[in-house]
Coordinates of all heavy atoms in Angstrom, one line a residue:
M1 N 38.4 -6.6 7.3 CA 37.4 -6.7 8.5 C 37.3 -8.1 8.9 O 37.2 -9.0 8.1 CB 36.1 -6.2 8.1 CG 36.0 -4.7 7.9 SD 36.2 -3.8 9.4 CE 34.6 -4.0 10.2
S2 N 37.3 -8.3 10.2 CA 37.1 -9.7 10.7 C 35.8 -9.8 11.4 O 35.2 -8.8 11.9 CB 38.2 -10.0 11.7 OG 38.2 -9.0 12.7
I3 N 35.2 -10.9 11.3 CA 33.9 -11.1 11.8 C 33.9 -12.3 12.8 O 34.5 -13.3 12.6 CB 32.9 -11.5 10.6 CG1 32.9 -10.4 9.6 CG2 31.5 -11.8 11.2 CD1 32.2 -10.7 8.3
C4 N 33.2 -12.1 13.9 CA 33.2 -13.1 14.9 C 32.3 -14.3 14.4 O 31.2 -14.1 14.0 CB 32.5 -12.6 16.2 SG 32.1 -13.8 17.4
P5 N 32.9 -15.5 14.3 CA 32.2 -16.6 13.7 C 31.0 -17.1 14.6 O 30.1 -17.7 14.0 CB 33.3 -17.7 13.6 CG 34.3 -17.3 14.7 CD 34.3 -15.8 14.7
V6 N 31.1 -16.8 15.8 CA 30.0 -17.2 16.7 C 28.8 -16.3 16.5 O 27.6 -16.7 16.3 CB 30.4 -17.2 18.2 CG1 29.2 -17.5 19.1 CG2 31.5 -18.2 18.4
C7 N 29.0 -15.0 16.4 CA 27.9 -14.0 16.2 C 27.2 -14.3 14.8 O 26.0 -14.1 14.7 CB 28.5 -12.6 16.1 SG 28.9 -11.9 17.7
N8 N 28.0 -14.8 13.9 CA 27.5 -15.0 12.6 C 27.0 -16.4 12.4 O 26.6 -16.8 11.3 CB 28.5 -14.7 11.5 CG 28.7 -13.2 11.4 OD1 28.0 -12.6 10.6 ND2 29.6 -12.6 12.2
G9 N 27.0 -17.2 13.4 CA 26.4 -18.6 13.3 C 27.3 -19.5 12.6 O 26.9 -20.6 12.2
L10 N 28.6 -19.2 12.3 CA 29.4 -20.0 11.6 C 30.0 -21.1 12.5 O 30.5 -22.1 12.0 CB 30.6 -19.2 11.0 CG 30.2 -18.1 10.0 CD1 31.4 -17.3 9.6 CD2 29.5 -18.7 8.8
R11 N 30.0 -20.9 13.8 CA 30.7 -21.8 14.7 C 30.0 -21.7 16.0 O 29.5 -20.7 16.4 CB 32.2 -21.4 14.8 CG 33.0 -22.4 15.5 CD 34.5 -22.1 15.3 NE 34.8 -20.8 15.8 CZ 35.8 -20.5 16.6 NH1 36.6 -21.5 17.0 NH2 36.1 -19.3 17.0
E12 N 29.9 -22.9 16.7 CA 29.4 -22.9 18.0 C 30.5 -23.2 19.0 O 31.5 -23.9 18.7 CB 28.3 -24.0 18.1 CG 27.0 -23.6 17.6 CD 25.9 -24.6 17.9 OE1 25.9 -25.1 19.0 OE2 25.1 -24.8 17.0
V13 N 30.5 -22.6 20.1 CA 31.5 -22.8 21.1 C 30.9 -23.6 22.2 O 29.8 -23.3 22.7 CB 32.0 -21.4 21.7 CG1 33.0 -21.7 22.7 CG2 32.6 -20.6 20.5
Y14 N 31.6 -24.6 22.6 CA 31.2 -25.6 23.6 C 32.0 -25.3 24.8 O 33.2 -25.5 24.8 CB 31.4 -27.0 23.1 CG 30.7 -28.0 23.9 CD1 29.3 -28.1 24.0 CD2 31.5 -29.0 24.5 CE1 28.7 -29.1 24.8 CE2 30.9 -30.0 25.3 CZ 29.5 -30.0 25.4 OH 28.9 -31.0 26.1
V15 N 31.3 -24.8 25.9 CA 32.0 -24.4 27.1 C 31.5 -25.3 28.2 O 30.2 -25.4 28.4 CB 31.8 -22.9 27.4 CG1 32.6 -22.5 28.6 CG2 32.3 -22.1 26.2
L16 N 32.4 -25.9 29.0 CA 31.9 -26.6 30.2 C 32.2 -25.8 31.4 O 33.2 -25.1 31.5 CB 32.7 -27.9 30.3 CG 32.5 -29.0 29.2 CD1 33.3 -30.2 29.5 CD2 31.0 -29.3 29.2
C17 N 31.2 -25.8 32.3 CA 31.3 -25.1 33.5 C 32.5 -25.6 34.3 O 32.7 -26.8 34.6 CB 30.0 -25.3 34.4 SG 30.1 -24.5 36.0
P18 N 33.4 -24.6 34.7 CA 34.6 -25.0 35.5 C 34.2 -25.5 36.9 O 35.0 -26.2 37.5 CB 35.4 -23.8 35.6 CG 34.4 -22.6 35.3 CD 33.3 -23.2 34.5
D19 N 33.0 -25.2 37.4 CA 32.7 -25.6 38.7 C 32.0 -27.0 38.7 O 32.3 -27.8 39.6 CB 31.7 -24.6 39.3 CG 32.5 -23.3 39.8 OD1 33.7 -23.4 39.7 OD2 31.8 -22.3 40.1
C20 N 31.0 -27.2 37.9 CA 30.3 -28.4 37.9 C 30.3 -29.3 36.6 O 29.7 -30.3 36.6 CB 28.8 -28.1 38.3 SG 27.9 -27.2 37.1
G21 N 31.0 -28.8 35.6 CA 31.2 -29.6 34.4 C 30.0 -29.6 33.5 O 30.0 -30.4 32.5
Q22 N 28.9 -28.9 33.8 CA 27.8 -28.9 32.9 C 28.1 -28.0 31.6 O 28.8 -27.1 31.7 CB 26.5 -28.3 33.6 CG 26.0 -29.1 34.7 CD 25.5 -30.5 34.3 OE1 24.7 -30.5 33.3 NE2 25.9 -31.6 34.9
P23 N 27.5 -28.4 30.5 CA 27.6 -27.5 29.3 C 27.0 -26.1 29.6 O 25.8 -26.1 30.0 CB 26.9 -28.2 28.2 CG 26.7 -29.6 28.7 CD 26.7 -29.6 30.2
M24 N 27.7 -25.1 29.4 CA 27.2 -23.8 29.6 C 26.4 -23.2 28.4 O 26.7 -23.6 27.3 CB 28.3 -22.8 30.0 CG 29.1 -23.3 31.2 SD 30.5 -22.2 31.7 CE 29.6 -20.9 32.6
L25 N 25.5 -22.4 28.7 CA 24.6 -21.9 27.6 C 25.1 -20.5 27.2 O 25.4 -19.7 28.1 CB 23.2 -21.8 28.1 CG 22.5 -23.1 28.5 CD1 21.2 -22.9 29.1 CD2 22.5 -24.1 27.3
E26 N 25.1 -20.2 26.0 CA 25.5 -18.9 25.5 C 24.4 -17.9 25.8 O 23.3 -18.1 25.6 CB 25.9 -18.9 24.1 CG 26.7 -17.6 23.7 CD 26.6 -17.3 22.2 OE1 26.3 -18.2 21.4 OE2 26.9 -16.2 21.9
N27 N 24.9 -16.8 26.4 CA 23.9 -15.7 26.8 C 24.0 -14.5 25.9 O 23.5 -13.5 26.2 CB 24.1 -15.3 28.2 CG 23.0 -16.0 29.1 OD1 22.1 -16.6 28.6 ND2 23.2 -15.9 30.4
G28 N 24.8 -14.6 24.8 CA 24.9 -13.5 23.9 C 26.2 -12.7 24.1 O 27.1 -13.1 24.9
R29 N 26.3 -11.7 23.4 CA 27.5 -10.9 23.6 C 27.5 -10.1 24.9 O 26.5 -9.6 25.3 CB 27.6 -9.9 22.4 CG 27.6 -10.5 21.1 CD 28.0 -9.5 20.0 NE 29.4 -9.2 20.0 CZ 29.9 -8.2 19.2 NH1 29.2 -7.6 18.4 NH2 31.2 -8.0 19.3
E30 N 28.7 -10.0 25.4 CA 28.8 -9.4 26.7 C 28.4 -7.9 26.6 O 27.9 -7.3 27.6 CB 30.2 -9.5 27.3 CG 30.4 -8.7 28.5 CD 31.5 -9.3 29.4 OE1 32.0 -10.3 29.0 OE2 31.9 -8.6 30.3
M31 N 28.6 -7.3 25.5 CA 28.3 -5.9 25.3 C 26.8 -5.6 25.7 O 26.5 -4.6 26.3 CB 28.4 -5.6 23.8 CG 28.7 -4.2 23.5 SD 29.2 -4.0 21.8 CE 30.8 -4.6 21.9
D32 N 26.0 -6.6 25.5 CA 24.6 -6.4 25.9 C 24.4 -6.4 27.4 O 23.3 -5.9 27.9 CB 23.7 -7.5 25.3 CG 23.8 -7.6 23.8 OD1 24.1 -6.5 23.2 OD2 23.6 -8.7 23.2
F33 N 25.4 -6.8 28.1 CA 25.2 -7.0 29.6 C 26.1 -6.0 30.4 O 26.2 -6.1 31.6 CB 25.5 -8.4 30.0 CG 24.6 -9.4 29.4 CD1 24.9 -10.0 28.1 CD2 23.4 -9.8 30.0 CE1 24.1 -10.9 27.6 CE2 22.6 -10.7 29.4 CZ 22.9 -11.3 28.2
Y34 N 26.8 -5.2 29.7 CA 27.9 -4.6 30.4 C 27.5 -3.6 31.4 O 28.3 -3.2 32.2 CB 28.9 -4.0 29.4 CG 28.8 -2.5 29.0 CD1 29.6 -1.6 29.7 CD2 27.9 -2.1 28.1 CE1 29.5 -0.3 29.4 CE2 27.9 -0.7 27.8 CZ 28.6 0.2 28.5 OH 28.5 1.5 28.2
D35 N 26.3 -3.2 31.4 CA 25.8 -2.3 32.5 C 26.0 -2.9 33.9 O 26.3 -2.2 34.8 CB 24.3 -2.0 32.3 CG 24.1 -0.8 31.3 OD1 25.1 -0.2 31.0 OD2 23.0 -0.6 30.9
D36 N 25.8 -4.2 34.0 CA 26.0 -4.8 35.3 C 27.0 -5.9 35.3 O 27.0 -6.7 36.2 CB 24.6 -5.3 35.8 CG 24.0 -6.3 34.8 OD1 24.8 -6.7 33.8 OD2 22.9 -6.8 34.9
Y37 N 28.0 -5.8 34.4 CA 28.9 -6.9 34.3 C 30.3 -6.3 33.8 O 30.3 -5.5 32.9 CB 28.4 -8.0 33.4 CG 29.1 -9.3 33.5 CD1 28.8 -10.1 34.6 CD2 30.0 -9.7 32.5 CE1 29.5 -11.3 34.7 CE2 30.7 -10.9 32.7 CZ 30.4 -11.7 33.7 OH 31.0 -12.9 33.8
S38 N 31.3 -6.8 34.4 CA 32.7 -6.6 33.9 C 33.0 -5.1 33.6 O 33.0 -4.6 32.5 CB 32.8 -7.3 32.5 OG 32.8 -8.7 32.8
P39 N 33.3 -4.4 34.7 CA 33.8 -3.0 34.6 C 35.0 -2.9 33.7 O 35.1 -1.8 33.1 CB 34.1 -2.6 36.0 CG 33.5 -3.6 36.9 CD 33.3 -4.9 36.1
Y40 N 35.8 -3.9 33.6 CA 37.0 -3.7 32.8 C 36.7 -3.6 31.3 O 37.5 -3.2 30.5 CB 38.0 -4.9 33.0 CG 37.5 -6.3 32.5 CD1 37.7 -6.7 31.2 CD2 36.8 -7.1 33.4 CE1 37.2 -7.9 30.8 CE2 36.4 -8.3 33.0 CZ 36.6 -8.7 31.7 OH 36.1 -9.9 31.3
M41 N 35.5 -4.0 30.9 CA 35.1 -3.8 29.5 C 34.8 -2.3 29.1 O 34.8 -2.0 28.0 CB 33.8 -4.6 29.2 CG 34.1 -6.1 29.0 SD 35.2 -6.4 27.6 CE 34.1 -5.7 26.3
E42 N 34.5 -1.5 30.2 CA 34.0 -0.2 29.9 C 35.0 0.6 29.1 O 34.7 1.5 28.3 CB 33.6 0.5 31.2 CG 32.4 -0.1 31.8 CD 32.0 0.6 33.0 OE1 32.5 1.7 33.3 OE2 31.2 0.0 33.8
I43 N 36.3 0.4 29.4 CA 37.3 1.2 28.7 C 37.2 1.0 27.2 O 37.2 1.9 26.4 CB 38.7 0.8 29.2 CG1 38.8 1.2 30.7 CG2 39.8 1.6 28.4 CD1 39.9 0.5 31.4
D44 N 37.2 -0.3 26.8 CA 37.1 -0.6 25.4 C 35.8 0.0 24.8 O 35.8 0.5 23.7 CB 37.1 -2.1 25.1 CG 38.5 -2.7 25.3 OD1 39.4 -1.9 25.2 OD2 38.6 -3.9 25.5
L45 N 34.7 -0.2 25.5 CA 33.4 0.3 24.9 C 33.4 1.8 24.8 O 32.9 2.3 23.8 CB 32.3 -0.2 25.9 CG 32.1 -1.7 25.8 CD1 31.1 -2.1 27.0 CD2 31.5 -2.1 24.5
M46 N 34.0 2.5 25.7 CA 34.0 3.9 25.6 C 34.9 4.4 24.4 O 34.5 5.3 23.8 CB 34.6 4.5 26.9 CG 33.5 4.6 28.0 SD 33.9 5.6 29.4 CE 35.2 4.7 30.1
K47 N 35.9 3.6 24.2 CA 36.8 3.9 23.0 C 35.9 3.8 21.8 O 36.0 4.6 20.9 CB 37.9 3.0 23.0 CG 39.1 3.4 23.8 CD 40.3 2.5 23.4 CE 41.1 2.1 24.7 NZ 41.8 0.9 24.5
M48 N 35.1 2.8 21.7 CA 34.3 2.6 20.5 C 33.3 3.7 20.4 O 33.0 4.2 19.3 CB 33.7 1.2 20.5 CG 34.6 0.1 20.2 SD 33.8 -1.5 19.9 CE 33.9 -2.2 21.5
E49 N 32.7 4.1 21.5 CA 31.7 5.1 21.4 C 32.3 6.4 21.0 O 31.6 7.2 20.4 CB 31.0 5.2 22.8 CG 30.0 4.1 23.1 CD 29.6 4.0 24.5 OE1 30.0 4.8 25.3 OE2 28.9 3.0 24.8
D50 N 33.5 6.6 21.3 CA 34.2 7.8 20.9 C 34.6 7.8 19.4 O 35.0 8.8 18.9 CB 35.4 8.1 21.7 CG 35.1 8.6 23.1 OD1 34.0 9.1 23.3 OD2 36.0 8.4 24.0
G51 N 34.3 6.7 18.8 CA 34.7 6.6 17.4 C 36.2 6.3 17.2 O 36.7 6.5 16.1
H52 N 36.8 5.8 18.2 CA 38.2 5.5 18.1 C 38.5 4.1 18.6 O 39.1 3.9 19.6 CB 39.1 6.5 18.9 CG 39.0 7.9 18.5 ND1 39.4 8.3 17.3 CD2 38.4 8.9 19.1 CE1 39.2 9.6 17.2 NE2 38.5 10.0 18.2
P53 N 38.0 3.1 17.8 CA 38.2 1.7 18.2 C 39.7 1.4 18.2 O 40.4 1.9 17.4 CB 37.4 0.9 17.2 CG 37.3 1.8 16.0 CD 37.2 3.2 16.6
D54 N 40.1 0.6 19.1 CA 41.5 0.2 19.2 C 41.8 -0.8 18.0 O 41.3 -1.9 18.1 CB 41.8 -0.5 20.5 CG 43.2 -0.8 20.7 OD1 44.0 -0.6 19.7 OD2 43.6 -1.2 21.8
T55 N 42.4 -0.4 17.0 CA 42.7 -1.2 15.9 C 44.0 -2.0 16.0 O 44.3 -2.8 15.1 CB 42.7 -0.4 14.6 OG1 43.6 0.7 14.7 CG2 41.3 0.1 14.3
N56 N 44.7 -1.7 17.0 CA 46.0 -2.4 17.1 C 45.9 -3.8 17.7 O 46.5 -4.7 17.1 CB 47.0 -1.6 18.0 CG 47.4 -0.3 17.4 OD1 47.5 -0.2 16.1 ND2 47.5 0.8 18.1
S57 N 45.2 -3.9 18.8 CA 45.1 -5.2 19.4 C 44.1 -6.1 18.6 O 43.2 -5.6 17.9 CB 44.6 -5.1 20.8 OG 43.3 -4.5 20.9
G58 N 44.3 -7.4 18.7 CA 43.5 -8.3 17.9 C 42.1 -8.2 18.5 O 41.8 -8.1 19.7
H59 N 41.1 -8.2 17.6 CA 39.7 -8.1 18.0 C 39.2 -9.4 18.6 O 39.4 -10.4 18.0 CB 38.9 -7.7 16.7 CG 38.4 -6.3 16.7 ND1 37.3 -5.9 17.3 CD2 39.0 -5.2 16.3 CE1 37.2 -4.6 17.2 NE2 38.2 -4.2 16.5
K60 N 38.6 -9.3 19.7 CA 38.0 -10.4 20.3 C 36.6 -10.1 20.7 O 36.3 -9.0 21.2 CB 38.8 -10.8 21.6 CG 40.2 -11.3 21.3 CD 40.7 -12.3 22.3 CE 42.0 -12.9 22.0 NZ 43.1 -11.9 22.2
C61 N 35.7 -11.0 20.5 CA 34.3 -10.8 20.7 C 34.0 -11.5 22.0 O 34.0 -12.7 22.1 CB 33.5 -11.3 19.5 SG 31.8 -11.0 19.7
P62 N 33.6 -10.7 23.0 CA 33.2 -11.3 24.3 C 31.8 -12.0 24.3 O 30.9 -11.3 23.9 CB 33.3 -10.2 25.3 CG 33.0 -9.0 24.4 CD 33.5 -9.3 23.0
H63 N 31.8 -13.2 24.6 CA 30.5 -13.9 24.7 C 30.3 -14.3 26.1 O 31.2 -14.9 26.8 CB 30.4 -15.1 23.8 CG 30.2 -14.7 22.3 ND1 28.9 -14.8 21.8 CD2 31.0 -14.2 21.4 CE1 29.0 -14.3 20.5 NE2 30.3 -14.0 20.3
L64 N 29.1 -14.1 26.6 CA 28.8 -14.5 28.0 C 28.1 -15.8 28.0 O 27.1 -16.1 27.3 CB 27.8 -13.4 28.6 CG 27.5 -13.6 30.1 CD1 28.8 -13.4 30.9 CD2 26.5 -12.5 30.5
F65 N 28.6 -16.7 28.8 CA 28.0 -18.1 29.0 C 27.6 -18.2 30.5 O 28.2 -17.7 31.4 CB 29.1 -19.2 28.7 CG 29.4 -19.3 27.2 CD1 30.2 -18.4 26.6 CD2 28.8 -20.3 26.5 CE1 30.5 -18.5 25.2 CE2 29.0 -20.4 25.1 CZ 29.9 -19.5 24.5
R66 N 26.5 -18.9 30.6 CA 26.0 -19.1 32.0 C 25.7 -20.6 32.2 O 25.1 -21.3 31.3 CB 24.7 -18.3 32.2 CG 24.2 -18.5 33.6 CD 23.0 -17.7 33.9 NE 23.4 -16.3 34.1 CZ 22.7 -15.2 33.6 NH1 21.7 -15.4 32.8 NH2 23.1 -14.0 33.8
C67 N 26.1 -21.1 33.3 CA 25.9 -22.5 33.6 C 24.4 -22.6 34.1 O 24.0 -21.9 35.0 CB 26.8 -23.0 34.7 SG 26.5 -24.6 35.3
P68 N 23.6 -23.5 33.5 CA 22.2 -23.7 33.9 C 22.1 -24.4 35.2 O 21.0 -24.4 35.8 CB 21.7 -24.6 32.7 CG 22.8 -25.3 32.2 CD 24.0 -24.4 32.4
S69 N 23.2 -25.0 35.7 CA 23.1 -25.8 36.9 C 23.4 -24.9 38.1 O 22.7 -24.9 39.1 CB 24.0 -27.0 36.8 OG 24.0 -27.7 38.0
C70 N 24.6 -24.2 38.1 CA 25.0 -23.5 39.2 C 25.0 -21.9 39.0 O 25.4 -21.2 39.8 CB 26.4 -23.9 39.7 SG 27.7 -23.5 38.6
F71 N 24.6 -21.6 37.7 CA 24.5 -20.1 37.4 C 25.8 -19.4 37.4 O 25.8 -18.2 37.5 CB 23.4 -19.4 38.2 CG 22.1 -20.1 38.1 CD1 21.6 -20.9 39.2 CD2 21.3 -20.0 37.0 CE1 20.4 -21.5 39.1 CE2 20.1 -20.6 36.9 CZ 19.6 -21.4 38.0
K72 N 26.9 -20.1 37.3 CA 28.2 -19.4 37.2 C 28.2 -18.7 35.8 O 27.7 -19.3 34.8 CB 29.3 -20.4 37.3 CG 30.7 -19.8 37.2 CD 31.8 -20.8 37.3 CE 33.1 -20.2 37.0 NZ 33.5 -19.2 38.1
E73 N 28.8 -17.6 35.7 CA 28.9 -16.9 34.5 C 30.4 -16.8 34.1 O 31.2 -16.6 34.9 CB 28.4 -15.4 34.6 CG 26.8 -15.4 34.7 CD 26.3 -14.0 34.8 OE1 27.1 -13.1 35.0 OE2 25.1 -13.8 34.5
E74 N 30.6 -17.0 32.8 CA 32.0 -17.0 32.3 C 31.9 -16.2 31.0 O 31.0 -16.3 30.1 CB 32.5 -18.4 31.9 CG 33.0 -19.2 33.1 CD 34.5 -19.0 33.3 OE1 35.2 -19.4 32.5 OE2 34.8 -18.4 34.4
T75 N 32.9 -15.3 30.8 CA 33.1 -14.6 29.5 C 34.1 -15.3 28.7 O 35.3 -15.4 29.2 CB 33.4 -13.2 29.8 OG1 32.4 -12.6 30.6 CG2 33.5 -12.4 28.5
I76 N 33.8 -15.7 27.5 CA 34.7 -16.3 26.6 C 35.0 -15.3 25.5 O 34.0 -14.8 24.8 CB 34.1 -17.6 26.0 CG1 33.6 -18.5 27.2 CG2 35.1 -18.3 25.1 CD1 34.7 -19.0 28.1
F77 N 36.2 -15.1 25.2 CA 36.6 -14.1 24.2 C 36.8 -14.9 22.9 O 37.7 -15.8 22.8 CB 37.8 -13.4 24.6 CG 37.6 -12.4 25.7 CD1 37.7 -12.7 27.0 CD2 37.2 -11.1 25.3 CE1 37.4 -11.8 28.0 CE2 36.9 -10.1 26.3 CZ 37.0 -10.5 27.6
I78 N 36.0 -14.7 21.9 CA 36.1 -15.3 20.6 C 37.0 -14.5 19.7 O 36.7 -13.3 19.5 CB 34.7 -15.5 20.0 CG1 33.7 -16.1 21.0 CG2 34.8 -16.3 18.7 CD1 34.0 -17.5 21.4
K79 N 38.0 -15.1 19.2 CA 38.9 -14.4 18.3 C 38.2 -14.2 17.0 O 37.7 -15.1 16.4 CB 40.2 -15.2 18.1 CG 41.3 -14.3 17.6 CD 42.6 -15.1 17.7 CE 43.8 -14.2 17.4 NZ 43.7 -13.5 16.2
E80 N 38.1 -13.0 16.6 CA 37.4 -12.7 15.3 C 38.3 -12.9 14.1 O 39.5 -12.8 14.2 CB 36.9 -11.2 15.4 CG 35.9 -11.0 16.5 CD 35.3 -9.6 16.4 OE1 35.6 -8.9 15.5 OE2 34.4 -9.3 17.2
Ligands
ZN1 ZN1 30.7 -12.7 18.7
ZN2 ZN1 28.1 -24.9 36.9

């Protein structure tokens, strides 16, 4: 089993806003936001809900970052 180091507090990810260069703030796992964000995630999530997680592809943990300055949102995939 692999564990996302960011979720477990083992590592911090430092992301700079591509638009204005400010350090972006982590807003948590994208899973918590997927109702109104990133339709392309729904396929993976539905797979998990069906009890058939995709075990072939490398697990990546999506983390949502938001720029405090311009409110740009970026999803960073953390390799687990
Ligand atoms: Zn994570
Ligand atoms: Zn920004």
Side-chain angles (χ1 to χ4, degrees):
M1 290 291 286
S2 54
I3 299 166
C4 171
V6 177
C7 285
N8 286 272
L10 301 174
R11 192 165 59 130
E12 282 188 36
V13 179
Y14 191 64
V15 181
L16 293 180
C17 175
D19 284 352
C20 66
Q22 294 293 311
M24 299 179 85
L25 302 174
E26 196 199 343
N27 260 350
R29 300 190 74 183
E30 175 156 351
M31 204 169 286
D32 301 332
F33 296 90
Y34 97 96
D35 276 348
D36 56 8
Y37 197 77
S38 293
Y40 65 88
M41 283 296 300
E42 287 180 17
I43 297 163
D44 283 341
L45 290 168
M46 280 193 292
K47 273 191 225 157
M48 285 192 266
E49 281 163 6
D50 285 338
H52 299 292
D54 186 353
T55 52
N56 291 325
S57 62
H59 254 270
K60 292 208 176 75
C61 184
H63 283 260
L64 186 64
F65 288 79
R66 180 176 287 138
C67 175
S69 178
C70 70
F71 302 107
K72 180 181 176 64
E73 289 183 342
E74 280 269 294
T75 302
I76 308 296
F77 289 89
I78 309 296
K79 203 168 188 308
E80 294 189 0

